[in-house]
Amino acid sequence: MSPSTTSAAVSPAQHRLLNEVVLSCQPQESSVANIITAGDYDLHFSGKGSATTPWFEAYRENFLQSMPASDHEFLNHYLACLLVVSSTEAVPVEQFLKLSQEQHRIQHSGEYTNPKWFIPNTLKYYVLLHDMSDGDELRADTVYEDMKQRYGPQGCYLLKINSRTFSAEDEEQIPDPWSQYLHRNNLHNQDMLDDLAPALNSSAVENNVSAAEVDSHRLTEKDGVSNSLERHPLQLDSVNSSGNLHTLSAVNTDLKKDATDPESLVGGAGNHGACLTLNDHDHIRQFIQEFTFRGLLPHIEKNIRQLNDQLVSRKGLSRSLFTATKKWFGGGKVPEKSISEPKSTCGLLYPPEAPELQIRKMADLCFLVQHYELAYSCYHTAKKDFLSDQAMLYAAGALEMAAVSAFLQSGAPRPYPAHYMDTAIQTYRDICKNMVLAERCALLSAEILKSQGKYSEAATLLIKMTSEDSDLRSALLLEQAAHCFINMRNPMLRKFAFHMILAGHRFSKAGQRRHALRCYCQAMQVYKGRGWSLAEDHINFTIGRQSFTLHQPENAVTAFRQILTNESRQTATQQEAFLREYLYVYKSVIGENEVSLPQLPLPCIHSSATRVYFGHERRPAEGEKQAATHVSLDQEYDLDLAAMWCNLEEQLVATVNRGVIPGNFQPTLCCLNSQTDNLHHPLAVVEEPIIVEVTFRNPLKVSLALSNLSLLWRFTADGVSPSQENTTEVTEEAITNEKDTMAIGMTQKDDIVTTEIILEFHMGPEETKMARLRLLPHRTGQLNIVGVVYNLASASSGEMAPSTEGQQTLDLMVVRGRQDLKIQGPRLNQDKEDKMLVRHGPDRRLDPIITPPMPLMEVFFLQFPTALLCGEIRKAYVEFCNVSSVTLCGLRVASTHPDFFTFGSQTTTPLTPLSPTSAENCSAYKTLATPPGAQQGSVVSEMLVSAEDFSQLSGVMEIPIDGSTLQPGESTQLPLWLRGPDQEGVHEINFLFYYESMEKGLKISHRVLRHTVFICASRSLSVQASACRSSVPPHHSLDDKGSGGTLVFIDVENINTSEAGVREFHIVQVSSSSQHWRLQKCINPAKDKDCKLTSRERAKLCFRATRCKSHQATSDAIKKYIFADLNLGNERIISSATPCGDFFFRCCRPSGSQRVDVASAKTLSSSKIQGSCPAVDRSSDITNMVKKCNELDLNIIIIWKAYVIEDNKQLILEGQLHVALQTIGKEASSLTPKEEAQEMVLFKFKSELPPSVILPSAELSQLIKTNLHYPETYTHPFLQDSLCVVPVTLTLSNCSLAQVDVIIDLRHKSTSPESLEVHSPFTWVGQTQYKLQLKPRQVLCLSLQACFLQAGVYNLNTLRVFAKPAEQDTMCETSQQTANPALIIISNA
């Protein structure tokens, strides 16, 4: 007989069954997730616990049940056979005899390898089955009595069933007696086994009463009942003999449902035992009990006793002699070994009657009846025998069962010998090459180790059992190993996740896609958001693929979206594969859902960087025309510049609204971005485009091709309630999916808003690129820009598109979708609640209100320079165009440099040609030819001009256009005079043009247009001017009313550098402008016809200035300025006209404001001196009086021409410089002094005392002007008269408008080095001290006498003059020093 062992591999039918079992057992969708917290992870598991899984338990149970019986162990060999005959048979006893003979033939003939029998004398138990609904009960009882006589009362039984007739109307619910066995494999109801013993014995005859019941149940189904398995454990080898065995299974159909039936696998096979009453149930239980206690158990006990006796008698022989004999002579086993297993790797194979197998049989019998201690002892003894014989298969089986018996012993007298199991597994796998038995051994050992909390050892064991021969087994074992890692005392999360990934991969290879997807999803919980970007990509990619194949496209899209939106570290090739897969999946999703456009993840949109521009983009310059720069999307936003423009606009609005800024004023913002104030709805104008700049970022290393890119918007017309609002959610491209409504959508959309489409938009790898998308609104209302819509494709799409149907079109890889523009507003920080919570305000830059038409102006500049000399005057032209359909008015301009330009005014603008070409060689100034008889250097003309004639001395100017309006389409040109800034360097000059609509009350009250120019100013001339009082005697200057006149010295230096190409400067005219003074004549000693200055040359000019005549200083003329022109050339420039007068008033505006203060102070101090009000503050009175006394308030205008050679042509440039002389004796300059850095001051720990009030002695010395009148030479005969007395006249002039007390002391003898000491002193004779009081502007002459004793040269300027204001204390008195010596020559006659 060829011994049969368990198949070394799982049969195809068995494999299919196990696959079906695992596939059908899935986690329930609605089941509550079990959460395990480990560290900072919260892991979600479906099911009741995480130590095991239902599909694994179902797999394990089915695996153990479907294992075929083997020869080296007897646990699933049959101990007894039920012979069942119906009471309806004619001669039941004959049938019993036939069945008995048939069983004997099957067991002993040797024709059948299956089923296998435990012992030769198998227990036969005779059952007479009586159907109460069909048959004679008395006859059945008679037959049963006969059976008892024949087989004995303990060997037969009469079972009566089906006591009631089945009817659908019968409402009595009888429990199904077979459900607990038929549904044992129902995977959804499978609970985790608390005790391991049932699981360990589930493959064999159960080890309690119900176990015997199951055993008997299985014995009745020996032939082909289940069609799930091609090789059922009960099926006979011989096919033709199955018909003979049909009678063995002649049982009621209710008993024919096996646990492996597909119906029970799916979850229920209808109702069984419907005709059984409760009494019938009791009859069945009683039958099982009778069979077990009166038949089966006594039979087992008898066999154990017999086997034990055999073993004892065997031990009586000399064990060692027996073993030695066996080794030397083979003991009759060598023929079997040589026949059955030539050189078998499993070692020796025993015949069934071998004495070593009897120990194993006894051990198995003890194990079946739960006598684990005796079983362990027998297994241990058998193990030694088998090992000594090198029968490795038998030894492995004994080791395996010894370990299980040791574990199951109550009270645990010995520890679990895990090394037994390890040796058994290794032997099965490596020596016997039997993976099925090795797997069974590993499953048992893993459960034992888990029950003892040894999860690490269990995981190691399970991982070792993975191999390439079975993906399903490897997947389940890897998953169980992962669960072991998570259930350890210190959970190993990353090992859990890693092994779940491996399990998912093996599940995928085994075709278990749902389980694969679940494994990857569970592993993702550990890897997500922890920086494992490559692992995340792999998991997401696999989840996406599995979801797609499982027809879960939404989950697939979500997974692929994760790969593409995260900062991927994959290679470009891998990313391209991801993108292709993603587009393919997306295409299928869109194909199913045509209703709305899906959200696309690529490219990334930087929403907060979105910029919105309102209005037309500026036209570029046309020829010589230079367009106003205004605002464009190409400019960077600057917070300081924005504040400056806002300030200019506030000036303009305040000017228009009589100095008040309206409360609802919002600065005009043409371009909105993340730094602007977007809390209010921006205002756009109908028929003017809205440009939205969207920032796209391609996060991938592969190119993206976007096409048909446009904006999505929603529009609410004015006067329409939201419920009736006319919305166009999707633009033309989205509507094209619905071909029937495309035309309607087009017309509806174009009536409201025209949407521009960008046909192609290519993005390179990792590129950030801006797209400018336009909308043109045609109706007023509320517009909401929702997002963007576009076609997305990989730049290389279509190359490797997944396709099984021949040619793949490029179309397949292009998907249409949208992305919403959602901009988060600024964080609120107003009140305490805002500061405690994170709240964000609205950002409404994408929600403009479309307003009615407004005027739109464009400004162009002609002949506008980029470089000027300091002070250079240049004439340019500006053109204003109204390009809208609405009339504009109220044209104004404000600038950061109002002194840089002027438009002139209607009264002072000279009639110059408007055409730029005809004015090319004309002077920018208004000039006249010098009269023929005029003396050079004398005043040619004087002009009395009011400052109000020169419009807008403030920073805001009205622009003088005809009629103050511009009609639609109209344009006008105006001259514009420019003056180079006084400081050299590059100057940024900003203009803000303001205009309004003729129609008032609109939402937009005004519009503005910005223009920025950069002017490079290079050095020209430096002018230094100073003034001093003339010492000419009063009678020489009668026209000056005794003030003696004032001398003005002007130093002019050419500080121009040679780079500008300036050859020389000509000073062509010097003009003065003042309310009280004027230049009278040039008193230069040199009689040069013209003042020419080449590089670094300096010229000194001297002029006499006089006060204005009294009729010109009337009260109403205090605001009028006298312009006096002294021309040094052949032509006279009218300095009071545009542009000279304009720039004078603009540049000297700060000094003008000072003059007003001085004038008011003057009247205040004079009233105090006259006693009209009491003197409160003495020091301020003195200061005011001194200012009044020394004030000059004379402005000098130097007009020059420069000769420049440029491109071999000589050009003549003109310009003017201003010097404001405020005070006599102080030097003024045309150049503003540069601020010097302050020196470091040592830190003082004590505060200094406040300085005492020091009176301005230097200024007080100017109160009185003194002149000595005497003969320059005097001849006296000293021989006749030793005393020479010379008359000297002292003229005292009060320069101030206050009464002054004067003390003249003639006794002073000068010791100062300045006074010239001569050979001998002289003496004043007569009165030596005078006390006088001078009225305002009074001139007084005193006659003095000087006495000389000898001839010589004498300095008469030795007297001391003290002066003080009349009402001040004497301590304020200050000596009046004259600067120059007064020399007299006394000669002897």
Side-chain angles (χ1 to χ4, degrees):
M1 167 183 181
S2 64
S4 166
T5 59
T6 306
S7 172
V10 177
S11 67
Q14 212 175 342
H15 182 72
R16 191 162 60 249
L17 167 74
L18 295 173
N19 245 326
E20 287 174 7
V21 166
V22 175
L23 185 62
S24 62
C25 189
Q26 300 288 342
Q28 290 177 330
E29 297 293 331
S30 59
S31 62
V32 180
N34 182 41
I35 299 176
I36 289 185
T37 302
D40 54 350
Y41 292 88
D42 287 328
L43 304 182
H44 293 251
F45 294 96
S46 52
K48 296 181 180 176
S50 66
T52 185
T53 54
W55 43 93
F56 173 70
E57 292 182 7
Y59 170 86
R60 185 185 61 211
E61 184 173 346
N62 279 275
F63 171 76
L64 294 173
Q65 283 185 355
S66 62
M67 279 188 71
S70 58
D71 289 336
H72 75 286
E73 58 189 10
F74 305 97
L75 282 169
N76 51 0
H77 289 202
Y78 292 104
L79 274 167
C81 182
L82 286 179
L83 304 177
V84 185
V85 173
S86 172
S87 62
T88 57
E89 287 286 343
V91 186
V93 178
E94 283 184 15
Q95 293 298 328
F96 277 126
L97 186 60
K98 281 184 184 176
L99 288 175
S100 178
Q101 290 170 351
E102 184 69 16
Q103 187 275 330
H104 188 272
R105 187 179 70 81
I106 289 171
Q107 181 176 353
H108 296 290
S109 68
E111 297 175 23
Y112 304 99
T113 54
N114 274 328
K116 296 189 183 294
W117 306 93
F118 205 107
I119 42 181
N121 55 339
T122 303
L123 170 67
K124 298 184 183 67
Y125 196 77
Y126 301 90
V127 179
L128 183 64
L129 189 64
H130 177 66
D131 192 338
M132 298 291 285
S133 61
D134 178 24
D136 185 357
E137 190 174 353
L138 287 173
R139 181 171 178 273
D141 290 338
T142 308
V143 173
Y144 177 54
E145 287 298 326
D146 183 30
M147 287 169 60
K148 280 200 285 188
Q149 294 296 327
R150 190 184 291 266
Y151 306 118
Q154 72 277 3
C156 58
Y157 194 83
L158 170 61
L159 179 59
K160 299 177 181 178
I161 57 168
N162 292 359
S163 298
R164 70 171 177 159
T165 53
F166 177 72
S167 64
E169 292 81 13
D170 196 348
E171 294 179 358
E172 187 183 2
Q173 294 295 323
I174 303 295
D176 187 346
W178 313 120
S179 60
Q180 57 179 318
Y181 311 115
L182 295 177
H183 287 268
R184 193 167 49 169
N185 289 328
N186 186 343
L187 306 177
H188 296 298
N189 300 327
Q190 177 73 22
D191 292 341
M192 191 180 74
L193 297 174
D194 297 323
D195 187 8
L196 213 53
L200 293 169
N201 295 293
S202 61
S203 65
V205 178
E206 300 282 349
N207 48 26
N208 50 20
V209 176
S210 62
E213 174 189 344
V214 176
D215 187 62
S216 64
H217 169 61
R218 290 178 61 190
L219 289 176
T220 61
E221 302 177 319
K222 284 182 277 192
D223 179 38
V225 177
S226 168
N227 56 7
S228 308
L229 277 179
E230 289 175 10
R231 275 190 66 81
H232 192 271
L234 302 183
Q235 187 176 342
L236 300 178
D237 282 351
S238 177
V239 180
N240 57 7
S241 63
S242 62
N244 304 330
L245 274 175
H246 185 65
T247 48
L248 285 175
S249 55
V251 192
N252 186 280
T253 54
D254 287 326
L255 298 174
K256 289 189 178 180
K257 283 286 183 185
D258 189 25
T260 53
D261 189 60
E263 277 189 29
S264 62
L265 282 175
V266 175
N271 197 12
H272 304 90
C275 296
L276 300 178
T277 62
L278 291 176
N279 284 333
D280 292 336
H281 288 194
D282 293 338
H283 291 158
I284 295 170
R285 286 193 195 93
Q286 192 178 352
F287 154 63
I288 293 296
Q289 196 168 347
E290 283 283 320
F291 164 68
T292 305
F293 288 105
R294 300 186 65 179
L296 185 61
L297 286 178
H299 179 67
I300 291 174
E301 286 173 7
K302 183 179 76 173
N303 280 289
I304 289 176
R305 202 174 300 115
Q306 286 175 357
L307 289 168
N308 189 44
D309 292 345
Q310 287 180 22
L311 291 176
V312 169
S313 64
R314 183 181 162 203
K315 280 179 187 175
L317 297 171
S318 169
R319 197 65 185 277
S320 57
L321 176 64
F322 181 79
T323 310
T325 311
K326 183 171 66 176
K327 279 182 182 175
W328 284 103
F329 300 107
K333 291 182 193 169
V334 178
E336 280 83 11
K337 184 173 180 184
S338 62
I339 293 166
S340 66
E341 189 192 0
K343 308 293 182 190
S344 168
T345 53
C346 299
L348 191 65
L349 291 181
Y350 296 103
E353 63 276 4
E356 288 85 356
L357 288 187
Q358 307 312 311
I359 304 180
R360 172 66 203 241
K361 279 187 181 178
M362 180 177 167
D364 285 350
L365 280 173
C366 294
F367 186 87
L368 288 177
V369 292
Q370 300 184 14
H371 203 320
Y372 297 123
E373 196 167 347
L374 182 55
Y376 173 78
S377 170
C378 294
Y379 284 133
H380 199 269
T381 306
K383 173 202 64 160
K384 290 179 182 177
D385 287 348
F386 294 145
L387 283 174
S388 66
D389 290 346
Q390 291 295 303
M392 302 311 294
L393 181 66
Y394 297 89
L399 283 167
E400 177 184 4
M401 292 311 297
V404 175
S405 300
F407 170 70
L408 289 175
Q409 285 179 37
S410 58
R414 55 175 59 84
Y416 168 64
H419 60 286
Y420 279 15
M421 278 294 197
D422 295 340
T423 309
I425 293 170
Q426 190 176 358
T427 305
Y428 281 142
R429 190 180 60 200
D430 299 339
I431 298 176
C432 305
K433 309 294 183 192
N434 193 320
M435 281 305 294
V436 176
L437 292 171
E439 181 181 353
R440 181 188 71 182
C441 197
L443 291 176
L444 295 174
S445 183
E447 293 300 333
I448 293 170
L449 290 169
K450 284 199 281 186
S451 72
Q452 294 180 336
K454 297 178 180 178
Y455 288 104
S456 178
E457 291 88 338
T460 308
L461 176 65
L462 291 166
I463 293 167
K464 276 184 184 176
M465 281 307 296
T466 58
S467 62
E468 290 301 317
D469 61 333
S470 172
D471 289 315
L472 181 64
R473 179 186 71 233
S474 299
L476 287 161
L477 296 185
L478 283 166
E479 185 182 18
Q480 283 305 299
H483 282 283
C484 288
F485 287 125
I486 202 75
N487 281 283
M488 291 167 67
R489 183 173 296 159
N490 296 317
M492 302 174 80
L493 289 158
R494 290 202 293 273
K495 275 188 178 269
F496 160 77
F498 179 67
H499 285 87
M500 284 302 268
I501 296 284
L502 295 177
H505 175 65
R506 298 304 290 269
F507 271 130
S508 180
K509 285 177 72 177
Q512 300 278 349
R513 291 200 183 94
R514 289 185 185 279
H515 287 296
L517 178 60
R518 179 186 46 73
C519 286
Y520 277 103
C521 289
Q522 288 192 351
M524 192 62 173
Q525 297 178 87
V526 175
Y527 287 111
K528 191 170 187 178
R530 302 277 171 170
W532 301 81
S533 62
L534 294 175
E536 275 191 73
D537 287 350
H538 170 73
I539 296 169
N540 275 317
F541 183 67
T542 313
I543 288 174
R545 275 201 157 171
Q546 298 291 358
S547 300
F548 184 66
T549 53
L550 289 168
H551 306 293
Q552 300 173 10
E554 290 78 13
N555 295 345
V557 164
T558 307
F560 281 120
R561 177 188 285 269
Q562 295 294 326
I563 308 176
L564 298 174
T565 52
N566 291 344
E567 293 298 330
S568 176
R569 291 163 54 192
Q570 301 284 357
T571 61
T573 315
Q574 192 65 48
Q575 285 184 356
E576 192 170 354
F578 286 167
L579 181 59
R580 271 202 311 272
E581 197 94 15
Y582 168 74
L583 293 172
Y584 182 71
V585 170
Y586 230 117
K587 191 76 176 174
S588 66
V589 174
I590 297 170
E592 295 170 11
N593 178 19
E594 295 280 355
V595 181
S596 61
L597 285 170
Q599 294 281 345
L600 292 174
L602 287 175
C604 302
I605 291 182
H606 190 17
S607 289
S608 63
T610 302
R611 297 196 296 166
V612 186
Y613 179 82
F614 299 99
H616 291 276
E617 290 188 9
R618 298 293 111 192
R619 279 192 292 180
E622 300 174 2
E624 290 186 355
K625 287 185 181 182
Q626 176 189 342
T629 54
H630 196 46
V631 185
S632 79
L633 284 166
D634 298 323
Q635 298 167 359
E636 290 292 326
Y637 182 79
D638 187 313
L639 212 56
D640 297 333
L641 276 177
M644 181 272 299
W645 289 116
C646 180
N647 182 34
L648 287 178
E649 190 172 351
E650 284 176 358
Q651 289 179 33
L652 286 159
V653 172
T655 306
V656 173
N657 290 281
R658 299 175 186 172
V660 180
I661 298 175
N664 61 349
F665 167 73
Q666 291 290 329
T668 304
L669 292 170
C670 294
C671 184
L672 300 179
N673 57 36
S674 56
Q675 293 174 277
T676 53
D677 177 14
N678 304 322
L679 291 173
H680 303 277
H681 288 283
L683 299 175
V685 179
V686 72
E687 301 298 341
E688 289 189 20
I690 299 167
I691 302 169
V692 180
E693 184 185 81
V694 184
T695 304
F696 290 101
R697 183 177 65 85
N698 177 9
L700 304 181
K701 298 185 180 79
V702 294
S703 300
L704 295 177
L706 275 62
S707 55
N708 293 342
L709 174 64
S710 61
L711 288 171
L712 289 170
W713 47 265
R714 183 171 57 247
F715 182 79
T716 311
D718 279 341
V720 176
S721 65
S723 61
Q724 305 168 336
E725 73 179 42
N726 184 5
T727 51
T728 305
E729 268 290 338
V730 227
T731 52
E732 175 189 344
E733 291 73 38
I735 294 170
T736 51
N737 296 331
E738 302 163 5
K739 295 178 181 173
D740 301 335
T741 58
M742 188 176 73
I744 303 165
M746 289 271 290
T747 52
Q748 176 193 11
K749 180 174 67 69
D750 279 344
D751 282 349
I752 302 165
V753 178
T754 303
T755 309
E756 186 193 54
I757 300 164
I758 297 178
L759 294 176
E760 295 291 337
F761 188 76
H762 189 272
M763 295 194 72
E766 296 181 334
E767 182 183 8
T768 299
K769 193 173 179 181
M770 272 71 79
R772 292 181 183 171
L773 300 157
R774 287 170 189 270
L775 296 176
L776 184 63
H778 303 299
R779 287 166 57 182
T780 58
Q782 171 73 56
L783 181 67
N784 303 99
I785 298 165
V786 178
V788 289
V789 60
Y790 54 92
N791 292 336
L792 173 66
S794 163
S796 58
S797 67
E799 295 171 7
M800 297 172 65
S803 168
T804 54
E805 300 172 10
Q807 286 298 317
Q808 184 70 35
T809 57
L810 190 68
D811 254 6
L812 186 66
M813 299 306 285
V814 179
V815 296
R816 182 122 185 106
R818 62 185 281 177
Q819 279 199 65
D820 291 341
L821 289 171
K822 292 178 182 172
I823 303 175
Q824 190 178 56
R827 182 173 174 184
L828 299 178
N829 202 21
Q830 301 296 323
D831 50 24
K832 185 179 178 183
E833 202 171 340
D834 286 342
K835 292 173 182 175
M836 298 292 287
L837 304 169
V838 178
R839 288 178 173 176
H840 293 271
D843 190 305
R844 297 199 169 98
R845 71 182 100 154
L846 294 174
D847 305 328
I849 294 170
I850 313 299
T851 61
M854 281 289 290
L856 185 66
M857 182 179 73
E858 289 188 354
V859 178
F860 296 96
F861 297 88
L862 289 84
Q863 297 183 356
F864 205 91
T866 55
L868 292 170
L869 294 172
C870 291
E872 180 187 344
I873 304 289
R874 190 76 67 88
K875 189 174 182 182
Y877 292 86
V878 61
E879 183 178 330
F880 300 99
C881 307
N882 182 357
V883 294
S884 68
S885 57
V886 181
T887 306
L888 69 84
C889 64
L891 191 52
R892 291 174 173 80
V893 65
S895 175
T896 50
H897 295 66
D899 52 353
F900 170 68
F901 68 100
T902 179
F903 286 99
S905 62
Q906 306 287 12
T907 54
T908 60
T909 304
L911 294 172
T912 54
L914 278 178
S915 162
T917 50
S918 60
E920 190 173 354
N921 298 312
C922 293
S923 169
Y925 289 112
K926 182 178 181 182
T927 57
L928 293 172
T930 310
Q935 182 188 352
Q936 186 182 353
S938 63
V939 172
V940 177
S941 77
E942 291 182 9
M943 210 57 129
L944 198 64
V945 175
S946 167
E948 293 169 355
D949 292 345
F950 292 89
S951 57
Q952 299 104 15
L953 293 182
S954 68
V956 175
M957 279 190 246
E958 287 189 23
I959 297 174
I961 54 173
D962 288 339
S964 300
T965 60
L966 265 182
Q967 298 301 320
E970 187 184 348
S971 64
T972 183
Q973 263 190 13
L974 290 179
L976 176 72
W977 286 270
L978 311 171
R979 179 176 178 272
D982 285 321
Q983 281 191 328
E984 66 168 326
V986 177
H987 298 261
E988 180 181 338
I989 298 168
N990 300 293
F991 300 87
L992 189 66
F993 295 96
Y994 170 103
Y995 55 98
E996 301 171 352
S997 171
M998 293 289 284
E999 187 182 342
K1000 303 302 174 191
L1002 298 171
K1003 285 181 181 175
I1004 303 179
S1005 60
H1006 65 274
R1007 302 190 90 174
V1008 292
L1009 178 69
R1010 299 176 184 178
H1011 181 55
T1012 301
V1013 291
F1014 291 91
I1015 297 291
C1016 181
S1018 49
R1019 292 191 288 185
S1020 56
L1021 297 176
S1022 165
V1023 180
Q1024 310 283 336
S1026 61
C1028 66
R1029 291 211 169 87
S1030 168
S1031 56
V1032 179
H1035 61 273
H1036 286 263
S1037 55
L1038 295 173
D1039 58 343
D1040 204 16
K1041 297 290 177 269
S1043 65
T1046 300
L1047 297 180
V1048 177
F1049 298 97
I1050 299 176
D1051 277 353
V1052 185
E1053 184 184 358
N1054 177 359
I1055 57 170
N1056 179 259
T1057 51
S1058 56
E1059 300 120 32
V1062 179
R1063 201 178 71 206
E1064 61 183 8
F1065 284 91
H1066 288 220
I1067 310 297
V1068 294
Q1069 182 169 311
V1070 178
S1071 301
S1072 70
S1073 170
S1074 173
Q1075 294 180 13
H1076 307 288
W1077 292 82
R1078 64 184 176 86
L1079 289 180
Q1080 188 187 26
K1081 62 183 291 187
C1082 176
I1083 53 174
N1084 240 29
K1087 298 299 180 186
D1088 290 346
K1089 173 132 193 220
D1090 202 349
C1091 183
K1092 298 180 183 176
L1093 293 174
T1094 57
S1095 182
R1096 309 308 297 184
E1097 278 190 344
R1098 180 192 290 244
K1100 197 172 185 79
L1101 302 172
C1102 184
F1103 298 89
R1104 182 189 297 281
T1106 59
R1107 278 189 177 276
C1108 304
K1109 294 185 174 62
S1110 58
H1111 70 83
Q1112 290 173 341
T1114 52
S1115 61
D1116 63 336
I1118 195 160
K1119 294 179 185 174
K1120 290 191 179 286
Y1121 288 78
I1122 292 100
F1123 281 82
D1125 299 335
L1126 275 76
N1127 61 315
L1128 305 177
N1130 293 328
E1131 58 182 7
R1132 173 187 156 220
I1133 293 166
I1134 303 171
S1135 60
S1136 59
T1138 297
C1140 186
D1142 294 78
F1143 287 119
F1144 161 71
F1145 281 113
R1146 290 188 170 282
C1147 297
C1148 300
R1149 197 169 71 245
S1151 62
S1153 60
Q1154 288 174 8
R1155 282 197 296 274
V1156 177
D1157 298 339
V1158 171
S1160 61
K1162 195 184 294 178
T1163 53
L1164 178 68
S1165 62
S1166 62
S1167 65
K1168 286 183 180 177
I1169 292 168
Q1170 288 160 8
S1172 61
C1173 63
V1176 180
D1177 190 351
R1178 300 289 176 87
S1179 64
S1180 68
D1181 286 348
I1182 296 168
T1183 309
N1184 289 334
M1185 184 211 30
V1186 167
K1187 279 185 183 176
K1188 171 182 64 179
C1189 164
N1190 295 322
E1191 186 186 75
L1192 184 60
D1193 187 20
L1194 177 66
N1195 297 287
I1196 309 290
I1197 304 170
I1198 289 94
I1199 299 174
W1200 49 263
K1201 286 189 178 181
Y1203 293 87
V1204 181
I1205 295 172
E1206 192 177 279
D1207 298 333
N1208 296 324
K1209 285 197 301 186
Q1210 178 168 303
L1211 303 175
I1212 300 175
L1213 308 179
E1214 302 167 297
Q1216 65 189 60
L1217 297 169
H1218 309 116
V1219 182
L1221 280 170
Q1222 298 287 326
T1223 313
I1224 290 175
K1226 272 194 174 178
E1227 192 173 59
S1229 172
S1230 65
L1231 297 174
T1232 52
K1234 290 182 179 176
E1235 291 184 8
E1236 294 181 3
Q1238 291 185 342
E1239 291 185 10
M1240 190 184 295
V1241 181
L1242 290 174
F1243 186 69
K1244 293 185 175 66
F1245 290 95
K1246 288 184 179 178
S1247 60
E1248 292 182 340
L1249 293 171
S1252 56
V1253 178
I1254 300 170
L1255 292 172
S1257 57
E1259 281 83 356
L1260 281 173
S1261 67
Q1262 304 285 341
L1263 283 174
I1264 300 293
K1265 188 170 78 169
T1266 59
N1267 271 315
L1268 287 170
H1269 299 283
Y1270 54 89
E1272 289 184 5
T1273 59
Y1274 194 83
T1275 307
H1276 177 74
F1278 283 99
L1279 294 175
Q1280 285 92 352
D1281 189 356
S1282 60
L1283 293 178
C1284 172
V1285 179
V1286 179
V1288 178
T1289 303
L1290 173 62
T1291 304
L1292 298 171
S1293 303
N1294 183 0
C1295 297
S1296 69
L1297 292 173
Q1299 286 190 354
V1300 179
D1301 290 339
V1302 182
I1303 296 175
I1304 301 162
D1305 190 356
L1306 302 179
R1307 295 169 299 176
H1308 170 61
K1309 182 179 180 181
S1310 176
T1311 57
S1312 63
E1314 285 89 2
S1315 60
L1316 184 63
E1317 289 292 343
V1318 287
H1319 133 278
S1320 66
F1322 73 97
T1323 308
W1324 295 101
V1325 293
Q1327 187 176 342
T1328 57
Q1329 193 173 41
Y1330 295 87
K1331 286 192 177 180
L1332 306 168
Q1333 190 172 58
L1334 292 182
K1335 293 177 182 175
R1337 303 285 189 196
Q1338 185 184 354
V1339 179
L1340 186 67
C1341 295
L1342 279 180
S1343 297
L1344 305 175
Q1345 288 183 316
C1347 179
F1348 301 93
L1349 299 176
Q1350 59 190 33
V1353 179
Y1354 296 88
N1355 180 14
L1356 294 179
N1357 198 359
T1358 62
L1359 48 84
R1360 293 174 70 198
V1361 180
F1362 297 89
K1364 71 175 181 66
E1367 301 213 350
Q1368 300 300 323
D1369 297 336
T1370 52
M1371 60 177 286
C1372 299
E1373 211 166 47
T1374 306
S1375 171
Q1376 300 288 325
Q1377 293 290 341
T1378 53
N1380 302 322
L1383 298 179
I1384 185 170
I1385 301 169
I1386 304 294
S1387 55
N1388 198 354

